[in-house]
Amino acid sequence: MKYGVVLSGGGVLGAAHIGFFEELEKAGIRSKIVCGTSAGAITGVLYADGGVEAIKLFYEKIHSTKMFSAKNLILSRHPNNVFAKIESVLRECVKAKTFDDLKCKFACVATNIVTGEKVVLDSGDPVSAAMASSAYPGVFPIQKIAGEYLVDGGITNNFPASIAKKMGADVIIGSVLYYLPKIEKEKAENFPRTAILRRSLDILQLEQTKKEMILCDFCFLPNLFPYQWYNFDKIVAVRERGREEARKKMKNIKEDIKISRRKRSFWLKNYDSLANIFK
């Protein structure tokens, strides 16, 4: 039985994926297939190349890089520099030069900004692919791969469970970092334009993600409030929150997967007869 892991995007919230993988290891689950978008693509390629230790090393290096401190505000002034630094650190941590060099099957999603189509990247340079998947539009630069102009895959598929299934995963285990913070209705009309745009994108991505989550046998949904994707100075706090949530929500993961698969099997076997009852 092949386990497939699917990782959502989420910017710096990707540090929460560490706890997810740590709990999978404790449960003796080693994935043969990894698929992700944006921060999930970066975390996924690290796992596919060097396991959990490679992910930890990457986020430690990012944390120690002063470019990402809130005090310097480099993210808003020089996003190209930030993006280049992320790629540099990723190349230090990923040894594979091609997808074939990775220790398990890996794919990630980007968006063709010219055609608007989803692009599944599963060949060539895996680091370039992960960076294209992470090129948040309007913040980070467009990436060019094989003549295509690519931006963040979160626009077209922020949680590519369907791709993991196509790659041959029998059991799909997901980690979803996106959430929609509650707001007071009275404050909505006074929202600044940037906040409205950001929340609108979050709503779109969350609705997309729900459709893909149906394919999962288990889905890790950590509560990461109030952290946001751009809080690069909060990496340590996000990582530790992710660990706490994973210990709490994944302690019985193997049993949870069995229950989920039994329920799904029941519905598939009895779909026709059950559907007739409600006609």
Side-chain angles (χ1 to χ4, degrees), residues 179-277:
Y179 60 93
L180 197 64
K182 291 182 179 179
I183 60 170
E184 294 178 26
K185 190 165 70 172
E186 295 74 20
K187 293 182 179 180
E189 63 180 298
N190 296 317
F191 254 34
R193 290 182 181 180
T194 53
I196 293 170
L197 175 60
R198 191 162 60 239
R199 189 170 179 83
S200 298
L201 288 172
D202 286 345
I203 291 169
L204 285 169
Q205 289 178 328
L206 196 58
E207 288 304 306
Q208 279 182 6
T209 297
K210 286 177 184 176
K211 295 173 184 176
E212 295 278 331
M213 283 171 61
I214 295 169
L215 298 173
C216 291
D217 295 288
F218 178 90
C219 206
F220 173 52
L221 297 159
N223 176 8
L224 300 175
F225 184 81
Y227 305 116
Q228 299 291 331
W229 73 268
Y230 48 81
N231 293 146
F232 282 95
D233 57 319
K234 304 295 183 184
I235 285 178
V236 172
V238 171
R239 182 190 65 197
E240 293 311 308
R241 174 72 70 81
R243 280 175 167 157
E244 289 171 17
E245 289 283 295
R247 291 186 197 113
K248 182 170 61 178
K249 297 181 178 179
M250 296 178 65
K251 57 184 177 182
N252 299 314
I253 182 170
K254 279 196 167 178
E255 187 57 34
D256 290 338
I257 289 171
K258 285 180 185 177
I259 293 169
S260 171
R261 290 179 69 77
R262 281 200 296 267
K263 286 181 179 177
R264 182 170 300 177
S265 176
F266 171 81
W267 279 103
L268 288 174
K269 287 178 182 176
N270 298 281
Y271 175 79
D272 290 334
S273 58
L274 288 167
N276 288 331
I277 294 172

Side-chain angles (χ1 to χ4, degrees), residues 86-105:
I86 292 172
E87 181 173 358
S88 175
V89 173
L90 188 60
R91 290 194 181 280
E92 287 177 30
C93 298
V94 174
K95 307 305 178 188
K97 302 303 179 187
T98 70
F99 276 74
D100 291 336
D101 296 333
L102 296 170
K103 294 172 184 174
C104 63
K105 289 175 73 174

Side-chain angles (χ1 to χ4, degrees), residues 107-127:
C108 60
V109 177
T111 301
N112 186 318
I113 197 65
V114 177
T115 66
E117 295 175 330
K118 175 180 71 181
V119 178
V120 179
L121 300 169
D122 57 6
S123 63
D125 174 15
V127 170

